[in-house]
Amino acid sequence: MGRQHWKKIWVGSAGNMVEWFDWFVYASFAPYFAGTFFPSGNPTAQLMNTAGIFAVGFFMRPVGGWLLGRVGDRKGRKAALTLTVTLMSASAVLIAVAPTYAVAGYGGALVLLVARLLQGLSVGGEYAASATYLTEATDPARRGFASSFQYVSMTAGQIAGLGLLIILQRTLSDDALHGYGWRIPFVVGALGAAVVFYLRRSMLETEVYAEDTSHTAERGTLGALWRHKREAFLVVALTMGGTVAYYTYTTYLTKYLSNSAGLSKQTATLVSFTALIVFACLQPLAGALSDRIGRRPLLITFAVGSTVLTVPVMTLLRHADGYWPALGLALLALVVVTGYTSINACVKAELFPTGVRALGVALPYAVANALFGGTAEYVALWFKKGGIESGFYWYVAACAAVSLVVYVSMRETKDLDLTRMRPAGAAGDRSGAADRAPAS
């Protein structure tokens, strides 16, 4: 892989890291600001309120997926990536300056809500633009490896957020963290987004996009996407199990360990931090493996493992009595999830032709995340509040089982020619080949 390819991967991933730093620090710091924007009361109820606003951000992701996916297909991947990071910077600033409940009543919660809506718009487009860019920007034989850096950067953003939380926990008092310390990561996120905006202004467009001149008037339209509705529904189905599992063992894990297992916030944060470092390192290895053996074997391994192991792993995590037992179980879960996270970006991008690729990935993926990923934490807390916390474990396993059916029935995608949407090296033209991009 040449220097120019690495540059494209770096610039695309750097922005993704900042996007997801801002997205995830909301969840990581929620235990510290949950009482800031809502009346005092039951801590679980306050967390449910902040989790509800977190989920609302996900429901804006389909809108962001549509708007920014359209920009990505009509104006280019670079234009979409630059716009997403601008929106994310604005949302981080809003959260950093939001007034407390004591100062403005529910006005602070309203500012928080607006900021999360902007974040939803931004991330809804960022995932697809980044997935498409990373998939198109590299050698076809290494698409799995290159696109795996999307989750490396996403996880790096969360690691950076958790790392900052650990530093603040050790340098500020608990009162200071609850009072003003939780605002610091959002200031950092806004500054990071400004840096990435500068980097993305000089990024290179992918050759696959630049050389495609077909169906210019229909690029990025819903009409064009509708002709690939089978692939769009496939994206929703194959995302379902993966996104629930991912958010369970990343976003929700820290709160689960402190709120259910009874570990201290510091220990719970350290467990998540360490597990995510290992998780990030696994992504390129699994992505490279998929370039050799295919995408389906990894997806099926994830789905089988998540279906079978979720209930026992979550049950044991609830009774973990220290750092090492919790870390071991978290790593086991994340190794399984790697089968999905390392390659899902390229799998989805490989399903669509160039003129509708960004929208084709963005909109159905955002819908799936709104329905399943964004609500995972809220569903978990709802089960907990109802006294049947184990019901959530079965919910996660069931979502994985549904995706397993899709993985088993879908076709392999690793050898597709992105410019023709047919197996690389196949002779002759095939009528409707684009319409038959691998589907179940």
Side-chain angles (χ1 to χ4, degrees), residues 11-264:
V11 175
S13 297
N16 208 32
M17 175 180 172
V18 174
E19 292 268 3
W20 290 92
F21 171 87
D22 287 342
W23 182 261
F24 281 117
V25 291
Y26 179 97
S28 299
F29 281 80
Y32 293 99
F33 67 75
T36 300
F37 297 106
F38 301 99
S40 59
N42 187 299
T44 299
Q46 290 180 334
L47 282 174
M48 285 187 70
N49 286 330
T50 54
I53 291 180
F54 182 78
V56 166
F58 278 85
F59 285 100
M60 285 300 291
R61 286 176 67 164
V63 179
W66 169 56
L67 291 174
L68 296 169
R70 181 180 174 88
V71 171
D73 284 326
R74 297 183 71 86
K75 303 297 182 181
R77 318 312 187 200
K78 174 183 173 179
L81 287 169
T82 303
L83 182 55
T84 58
V85 79
T86 303
L87 292 173
M88 184 60 78
S89 179
S91 66
V93 171
L94 282 177
I95 296 177
V97 302
T100 65
Y101 180 82
V103 172
Y106 284 106
L110 181 61
V111 173
L112 194 66
L113 177 63
V114 171
R116 286 297 296 174
L117 294 177
L118 287 177
Q119 283 189 336
L121 281 173
S122 175
V123 176
E126 170 68 22
Y127 174 89
S130 178
T132 302
Y133 188 86
L134 290 173
T135 301
E136 292 180 346
T138 193
D139 186 293
R142 306 197 72 182
R143 288 199 300 252
F145 173 77
S147 65
S148 71
F149 281 88
Q150 183 177 48
Y151 268 82
V152 172
S153 59
M154 286 172 60
T155 306
Q158 189 172 4
I159 290 171
L162 288 173
L164 181 56
L165 176 56
I166 291 172
I167 292 172
L168 293 178
Q169 286 174 336
R170 282 158 174 72
T171 56
L172 297 178
S173 67
D174 197 58
D175 287 342
L177 263 176
H178 282 84
Y180 69 87
W182 62 266
R183 297 183 187 271
I184 294 175
F186 298 103
V187 174
V188 172
L191 294 175
V195 172
V196 173
F197 176 81
Y198 174 78
L199 291 174
R200 283 186 167 176
R201 289 183 63 190
S202 61
M203 73 190 297
L204 301 174
E205 187 58 81
T206 69
E207 293 180 7
V208 172
Y209 178 84
E211 294 176 358
D212 181 74
T213 58
S214 61
H215 308 295
T216 303
E218 295 186 341
R219 280 183 181 271
T221 64
L222 291 176
L225 178 60
W226 184 249
R227 287 196 293 277
H228 301 277
K229 55 183 177 296
R230 190 178 186 187
E231 288 74 29
F233 285 117
L234 179 61
V235 170
V236 174
L238 68 87
T239 300
M240 177 181 177
T243 191
V244 171
Y246 176 75
Y247 281 100
T248 296
Y249 295 117
T250 57
T251 302
Y252 181 59
L253 180 64
T254 304
K255 286 189 281 296
Y256 180 69
L257 291 175
S258 61
N259 203 28
S260 295
L263 299 182
S264 67

Side-chain angles (χ1 to χ4, degrees), residues 225-429:
L225 178 60
W226 184 249
R227 287 196 293 277
H228 301 277
K229 55 183 177 296
R230 190 178 186 187
E231 288 74 29
F233 285 117
L234 179 61
V235 170
V236 174
L238 68 87
T239 300
M240 177 181 177
T243 191
V244 171
Y246 176 75
Y247 281 100
T248 296
Y249 295 117
T250 57
T251 302
Y252 181 59
L253 180 64
T254 304
K255 286 189 281 296
Y256 180 69
L257 291 175
S258 61
N259 203 28
S260 295
L263 299 182
S264 67
K265 291 178 181 177
Q266 291 81 357
T267 300
T269 302
L270 188 59
V271 168
S272 292
F273 180 77
T274 309
L276 287 173
I277 290 177
V278 177
F279 179 67
C281 293
L282 291 174
Q283 304 308 302
L285 298 177
L289 179 62
S290 80
D291 287 327
R292 296 179 65 87
I293 68 173
R295 321 298 188 209
R296 289 178 67 249
L298 272 70
L299 291 172
I300 292 171
T301 300
F302 150 71
V304 171
S306 191
T307 301
V308 173
L309 294 177
T310 294
V311 174
V313 166
M314 291 295 287
T315 301
L316 290 172
L317 273 173
R318 185 179 182 183
H319 299 288
D321 57 1
Y323 170 80
W324 290 109
L327 177 61
L329 291 165
L331 286 176
L332 173 61
L334 288 172
V335 167
V336 172
V337 173
T338 295
Y340 166 80
T341 55
S342 60
I343 58 171
N344 82 94
C346 65
V347 169
K348 293 161 189 170
E350 287 166 344
L351 293 173
F352 298 94
T354 304
V356 75
R357 184 168 293 131
L359 180 61
V361 175
L363 186 55
Y365 174 78
V367 168
N369 268 274
L371 295 175
F372 304 106
T375 58
E377 182 179 329
Y378 193 84
V379 170
L381 292 170
W382 180 82
F383 273 113
K384 178 178 175 59
K385 189 175 182 181
I388 48 172
E389 190 166 29
S390 62
F392 176 67
Y393 316 159
W394 291 100
Y395 168 75
V396 176
C399 289
V402 172
S403 288
L404 174 60
V405 175
V406 177
Y407 302 152
V408 169
S409 60
M410 71 181 287
R411 300 179 189 176
E412 183 56 64
T413 63
K414 83 177 183 72
D415 291 324
L416 282 178
D417 182 339
L418 294 183
T419 63
R420 297 186 179 183
M421 295 310 301
R422 58 187 175 86
D429 292 329

